[in-house]
Amino acid sequence: MAGSGERARHWQYAELPGVDLLRARYVRKTFVRHTHENFVIAAIAEGVEVFQHGGGDQYAGAGALALVNPDTPHTGRAGVPEGWRYGAVYPSPEVVAEIAAETTVIRGTPGFVSPVLDDPYTVALVHQVLRAADEGNALAADTLLRVAVTRLLRLNGGPLPRREVRTAGARIAARARAVLEERMSGPPTLEQLAADLGTSPFALLRAFRDAYGLPPHAWLTDARVRRARRLLDSGTAPAEAALAVGFTDQPHLNRHFARIVGVPPGAYQRERKNVQDARGRLLLPSETWQNRQLSQTYAPKTEESPTPPSYGMPSESGSP
């Protein structure tokens, strides 16, 4: 992304298990239609992000949050010429369910109702979570994350609809998905898959898209990137991970990985290794270590976050 003004860091903090973190500025970046296993809580600091969600374009500007539930297809692109700058946290369904059970009265599986919420207070909280993680302040990072998720669930939360396989088309789609998961590195053609399932190619295509929001080939690319992430997390080299999940080579993985995750697989894995190396250290590392971590971020603190230089709650009229 050199020369484009685009910068991104996708990382984890050992003291926030089950949560991915992202800080980025994108101008020409376009995210293809994809899904996440975790929730997406993206706090827009500058510019506008546009993303397709639920059949239409959603616009999130400065002071708003883009919110996506797990396994929900969506895209992402700039909504203004200067692009957008944001920080995001990706808590797992288990993390969100734990917080919801303790702090809300939501029945069933908790999730977000609206994909965009205008709430500068929570935007500030998200940026403070990222700052605390950067500086190795486990207590602040964990506290602020829980406050942010609780507030979002109270303002914009509800039970997610249950996905039940009822129709014949949905059952065929589920069987097709199972085949693709099993044969990820050597999948059949659409015609072969349809024949094996006793249906026609176009009937399978319609059923699969209705069930999962993506055609089979796009779902397979998404699933390959997910599996590649797990391999990279375990230490597998990017070139080996690419072949293991069915990409032709590492450049093929690089292209799709960056269009879904937002960073190349090599940069993604380096951050994972940093987390593994840091395990067992003090929760509040030395000043030298903190300074080194801060130097890895893409911009000075005054550019990264709209929040004040403390971990106190952002000011607002009212309370979280």
Side-chain angles (χ1 to χ4, degrees), residues 134-206:
D134 261 341
E135 297 178 350
N137 191 328
L139 180 59
D142 189 18
T143 301
L144 294 166
L145 175 71
R146 291 174 183 275
V147 172
V149 172
T150 298
R151 180 178 173 86
L152 289 174
L153 289 174
R154 289 177 176 175
L155 292 176
N156 187 42
L160 292 177
R162 297 181 60 182
R163 295 183 178 181
E164 298 182 2
V165 178
R166 294 180 177 177
T167 67
R171 289 192 293 270
I172 289 175
R175 291 169 58 195
R177 172 174 172 164
V179 171
L180 294 177
E181 287 178 334
E182 182 179 354
R183 300 176 57 183
M184 187 171 291
S185 61
T189 65
L190 180 66
E191 183 176 7
Q192 292 169 340
L193 182 58
D196 290 344
L197 297 175
T199 188
S200 71
F202 281 106
L204 174 58
L205 180 61
R206 287 194 299 270

Side-chain angles (χ1 to χ4, degrees), residues 45 51 53 58 62 83 87 92 94 145 158 160 166 175 209-210 248-249 251 298 303 311:
F51 59 106
H53 180 287
Q58 307 291 333
S92 70
E94 293 76 17
L145 175 71
L160 292 177
R166 294 180 177 177
R175 291 169 58 195
R209 186 174 301 189
D210 288 345
T248 55
D249 51 25
Y298 72 87
E303 292 297 323
Y311 293 117

Side-chain angles (χ1 to χ4, degrees), residues 30-88:
T30 299
F31 288 90
V32 298
R33 194 167 181 82
H34 65 285
T35 65
H36 294 278
E37 293 177 289
N38 288 3
F39 285 86
V40 179
I41 301 175
I44 312 300
E46 294 178 353
V48 177
E49 180 187 13
V50 183
F51 59 106
Q52 290 182 353
H53 180 287
D57 281 346
Q58 307 291 333
Y59 293 78
L65 300 110
L67 305 170
V68 182
N69 295 317
D71 298 315
T72 302
H74 62 286
T75 63
R77 69 181 191 277
V80 289
E82 59 270 26
W84 79 104
R85 180 170 64 83
Y86 69 122

Side-chain angles (χ1 to χ4, degrees), residues 43-45 85 120 123-124 127-128 131 301-308:
I44 312 300
R85 180 170 64 83
V123 167
H127 284 278
Q128 290 213 37
R131 178 184 297 176
K301 282 290 178 285
T302 54
E303 292 297 323
E304 289 174 0
S305 171
T307 59

